[in-house]
Amino acid sequence: MRLEAEFTTEPFHGEGDPPAHAVESLRVAQAAGLTCDFGPLGTSVSGEDDVLLPALARVLATALAHGASRITLQVDRVDTGNGAQRADG
């Protein structure tokens, strides 16, 4: 099944380079082969469940190891097989 996850790591930094917890968690997601969209307020990743779900555990651990004090995570099933549909769709 196809999934999409959005996560935000905190603390936020204002101007300048993104914090290490945001950058390093993105690198882990990219290394897992997930499709990634890195933005100023969070990161979106998508992929098949057998790749995305184990990668999320590594993403969370990496963010915490690099200074995150809070991580907000949302996971949506985005395939439409078996009647599944996104909550906003």
Side-chain angles (χ1 to χ4, degrees), residues 2-71:
R2 187 114 180 120
L3 301 174
E4 181 177 272
E6 294 180 41
F7 60 90
T8 303
T9 59
E10 296 179 41
F12 293 116
H13 289 197
E15 301 292 321
D17 294 333
H21 53 79
V23 173
E24 294 304 320
S25 58
L26 172 65
R27 287 186 183 149
V28 169
Q30 290 171 327
L34 298 172
T35 302
C36 302
D37 182 20
F38 185 74
L41 298 177
T43 302
S44 296
V45 296
S46 61
E48 293 299 317
D49 63 323
D50 60 335
V51 175
L52 188 138
L53 293 174
L56 283 179
R58 295 189 302 275
V59 164
L60 298 176
T62 298
L64 292 168
H66 285 88
S69 59
R70 174 185 286 211
I71 304 163

Side-chain angles (χ1 to χ4, degrees), residues 1-3 48-49 77-86:
M1 103 184 67
R2 187 114 180 120
L3 301 174
E48 293 299 317
D49 63 323
R77 184 172 175 178
V78 295
D79 61 8
T80 56
N82 300 322
Q85 188 175 11
R86 287 180 66 149

